């Protein structure tokens, strides 16, 4: 079974994906980490982020073990990710890994921007998670503070708005709500309430999920 969770930055999709995967006994993949890692590798090799050749080489040679790098958090890595993510050949190079991951038994939860539309259009359940930009910026700001990262709230909000525009506006695999996705607005929901709401949506779609 495949569960696709898409949505903009800090909408709560990552936390939700992990909680759902735990609940269902499924594997979980944060696909944003793939793009973040490509951005990191392009930079560390001294290339520009919009250098197609360097970005494609980084995507093709990506080591999944390096996805646990804590340096992948943060606004700089997120911004770099959304630049390399615009390159169609980078997206193509990361497709097989994501699709293989998605097909593992007994099931997988993937979160990103194009899971329900491009990576797994056949997903059994598609949820598009959203929240207002201010709520998302506030959440991300608190996360950064908890990690001891010194970033201003205004910077976080500006970054989120820039990335929303870049992700929704790119011609290749833009962030759009799949026609068969269920919407979940977490603006006024706690993590627990968002989880309960998502379980409710899944039940409505496919009946009692999980173990
Ligand atoms: O955690 P957050 O939502 O801030 O970002 P992320 O999910 O780690 O994604 C970082 C960037 O990678 C996004 O802004 C997108 O540009 C890109 N991305 C993508 O294009 N497609 C995906 N499936 C996942 C991420």
């Amino acid at each position: 079974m495949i569960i696709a969770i898409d949505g903009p930055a800090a909408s709560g999709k990552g936390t939700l994906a992990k909680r759902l995967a735990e609940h269902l006994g499924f594997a979980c993949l944060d696909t944003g980490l793939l793009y973040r890692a490509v951005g990191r590798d392009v930079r560390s090799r001294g290339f520009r982020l919009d250098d197609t050749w360097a970005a494609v080489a980084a995507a093709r040679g990506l080591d999944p073990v390096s996805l646990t790098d804590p340096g992948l958090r943060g606004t700089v890595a997120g911004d770099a990710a959304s630049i390399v993510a615009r390159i169609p050949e980078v997206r193509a190079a990361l497709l097989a890994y994501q699709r293989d991951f998605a097909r593992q038994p007994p099931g997988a939860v993937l979160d990103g921007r194009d899971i329900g539309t491009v990576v797994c259009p056949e997903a059994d359940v598609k949820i598009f998670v959203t929240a207002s930009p201010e709520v998302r910026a506030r959440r991300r700001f608190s996360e950064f503070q908890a990690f001891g990262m010194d970033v201003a709230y205004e910077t976080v909000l500006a970054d989120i708005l820039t990335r929303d525009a870049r992700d929704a506006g790119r011609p290749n695999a833009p962030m759009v709500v799949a026609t068969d996705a269920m919407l979940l607005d977490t603006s006024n929901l706690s993590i627990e309430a968002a989880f309960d709401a998502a379980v409710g949506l899944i039940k409505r779609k496919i009946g009692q999920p999980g173990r």
Side-chain angles (χ1 to χ4, degrees):
M1 179 184 296
I2 302 175
I3 302 197
I5 312 281
D6 287 304
S11 53
K13 63 187 187 313
T15 308
L16 179 62
K18 281 192 206 86
R19 290 287 306 269
L20 286 175
E22 250 166 52
H23 177 71
L24 299 167
F26 288 2
C28 187
L29 179 64
D30 171 356
T31 64
L33 283 177
L34 302 171
Y35 295 93
R36 287 171 181 260
V38 170
R40 170 201 61 198
D41 293 349
V42 170
R43 272 223 177 94
S44 70
R45 291 168 195 169
F47 294 99
R48 284 168 47 114
L49 290 166
D50 60 359
D51 182 325
T52 298
W53 179 87
V56 173
R60 290 194 180 137
L62 191 65
D63 176 5
V65 174
S66 75
L67 299 179
T68 53
D69 173 6
L72 295 179
R73 297 177 200 280
T75 56
V76 175
D79 195 54
S82 74
I83 294 173
V84 297
R86 275 194 304 206
I87 303 172
E89 295 90 338
V90 166
R91 307 198 69 84
L94 298 174
L95 258 188
Y97 179 80
Q98 296 176 81
R99 287 185 175 156
D100 286 349
F101 189 98
R103 289 198 195 108
Q104 67 184 285
V109 183
L110 283 81
D111 79 86
R113 302 287 187 290
D114 63 338
I115 308 304
T117 50
V118 175
V119 179
C120 303
E122 78 285 17
D124 303 272
V125 176
K126 300 179 187 180
I127 301 178
F128 193 92
V129 188
T130 182
S132 76
E134 291 74 20
V135 167
R136 291 188 283 126
R138 184 61 57 197
R139 284 180 190 156
R140 196 43 55 99
F141 177 66
S142 304
E143 270 171 40
F144 287 155
Q145 280 193 318
F147 281 109
M149 294 161 81
D150 183 24
V151 196
Y153 166 79
E154 289 70 25
T155 309
V156 177
L157 177 61
D159 170 71
I160 278 182
L161 293 174
T162 305
R163 276 209 287 139
D164 281 358
R166 203 182 276 146
D167 292 345
R170 68 182 172 221
N172 190 252
M175 174 176 68
V176 286
V177 184
T179 48
D180 51 350
M182 298 176 286
L183 271 181
L184 178 59
D185 187 335
T186 66
S187 297
N188 297 309
L189 298 181
S190 64
I191 291 175
E192 205 52 43
F195 171 73
D196 290 344
V199 170
L201 291 176
I202 295 173
K203 275 191 192 150
R204 212 171 67 198
K205 176 87 183 172
I206 55 165
Q208 185 69 40
R211 297 175 283 198

